[in-house]
Amino acid sequence: MKIAQKSIKFLLIATISLFTVVGLASESNNEHDNQSDGGRIDTKEKIDAYVLHHIKDAHDFTLFSYTNDHGERKHIGFPLPIILWSSEGLVTFMSSEFHHNDDGHVVVEKNGLKFAKIHSKIYEIEKGASHVAFDEHHHATNAHKSLDFSITKTVLGVFLVGLLLLFWFSRLARQYKTKKIPTGFSRVLEPLVLYVRDEIARPNIGEKHYRRFTGYLLTVFFFIWVLNLVGLTPLGFNVTGQITITLCLAIFTFVIYTVSGNKGYWMHMIWMPGVPYLIRPILAIIELAGAFLIKPFALSVRLFANISAGHIVVMSLIAIMFTLKESLGVVGATGLSLALSFFITLIEVLVAFLQAYIFTMLSALFIGMAVAEPEHH
């Protein structure tokens, strides 16, 4: 009962956090309108651009922004380190030197080189040029992208959640050494650990091999689940909504089931027994494409698409308080936006767990197929 109560409290905290995001986003939108070029974010094009910018990665950590009495835009947050491999080698500086500019008009000069940030991408300006030149499609014509190793907001989120998981499970392991029943938050973790082991790893991989891969499956499950929940907080992390992160996780699973595949797995894939010889090469191509392309693609895109779609839906519902303000009034538009956001919040908390479960389940299934012992009749 106590575990259930703590779980409910945890879900309520996540729900309240998302409402905080709604408040911050609405404040940011209102302030953005006050200092924009005379236009409000009340058209489909402007809303789409704002939503897509919101779910992207960023080179600085901004909690919220506001416009002071002098009309100056102020950002509350902190800069992150920029690490670039330029034409002259390694270049480092802090993201604050861009002054939150993202259209290429602020140029940072380091080690005799000039850099500008355009749509969250850092460009190195050609030598001899003092600013970025654009064509009619707003593409830089005298600059090229630098190899970027910066600590972005997504990377920071990965580090923080990784350290948090390390702390939680180190504490759980220490408690098992001194007591039979863990206490505190560890009592919430214990049933989830047992669930992943007994309901995901063991039935899909088998009694003989499941222990080898349970550690990886636990890591993937909790890593994705916690990152999904953190993405619903005012911190604004959208780590699992970045295709690079989900693709990296999918590659880990791909490497594990490829390296762990036994002889029977590869023989059934390359030269499937029990079918006509003329059909075997065709089936081999299909099976290899499934193992090397389709499975990693399905793992990465499913997680990325569902999390990104959730953020887009929430931001679109927030936009109701601006787009319908004239027809419904301030109270009506805001009330409708908050009411719809509440129901989406409940769904998003469920989706956070569900997507972690699906990714872990599919990973266990793919690994189980690779290590399964062939049956001899």
Side-chain angles (χ1 to χ4, degrees), residues 139-291:
H139 296 153
T141 58
N142 64 340
H144 61 274
K145 292 181 182 179
S146 299
L147 195 58
D148 196 348
F149 298 98
S150 303
I151 305 299
T152 62
K153 194 173 184 178
T154 295
V155 177
L156 180 63
V158 171
F159 285 159
L160 292 178
V161 170
L163 292 175
L164 183 63
L165 293 179
L166 183 62
F167 168 76
W168 281 347
F169 286 99
S170 297
R171 188 165 178 265
L172 177 61
R174 287 196 300 270
Q175 289 186 3
Y176 272 124
K177 293 180 179 180
T178 57
K179 59 187 72 174
K180 293 183 178 181
I181 300 177
T183 58
F185 186 68
S186 298
R187 296 189 65 183
V188 178
L189 296 177
E190 184 186 36
L192 291 173
V193 171
L194 296 177
Y195 178 81
V196 173
R197 185 195 68 181
D198 296 336
E199 301 298 331
I200 298 179
R202 180 176 289 170
N204 288 285
I205 300 178
E207 289 288 340
K208 185 176 181 181
H209 301 287
Y210 82 93
R211 291 183 180 273
R212 293 167 50 195
F213 306 102
T214 299
Y216 170 72
L217 296 177
L218 286 170
T219 302
V220 168
F221 174 80
F222 283 99
F223 182 74
I224 295 175
W225 181 48
V226 175
L227 280 175
N228 290 345
L229 291 178
V230 170
L232 302 177
T233 66
L235 297 176
F237 287 115
N238 184 31
V239 179
T240 47
Q242 307 296 328
I243 189 63
T244 52
I245 298 297
T246 60
L247 180 60
C248 186
L249 293 173
I251 290 175
F252 286 150
T253 298
F254 164 74
V255 171
I256 289 175
Y257 71 70
T258 300
V259 173
S260 303
N262 55 31
K263 182 179 178 181
Y265 170 74
W266 289 108
M267 287 301 298
H268 278 73
M269 183 182 299
I270 298 174
W271 201 246
M272 188 175 296
V275 298
Y277 288 102
L278 294 177
I279 304 298
R280 293 185 183 186
I282 300 176
L283 292 178
I285 295 174
I286 296 174
E287 290 291 331
L288 290 172

Side-chain angles (χ1 to χ4, degrees), residues 60-81:
D60 46 29
F61 193 102
T62 303
L63 289 173
F64 64 93
S65 305
Y66 69 95
T67 304
N68 61 18
D69 296 335
H70 303 288
E72 298 176 344
R73 191 67 172 167
K74 297 295 183 181
H75 304 275
I76 304 301
F78 53 88
L80 296 173

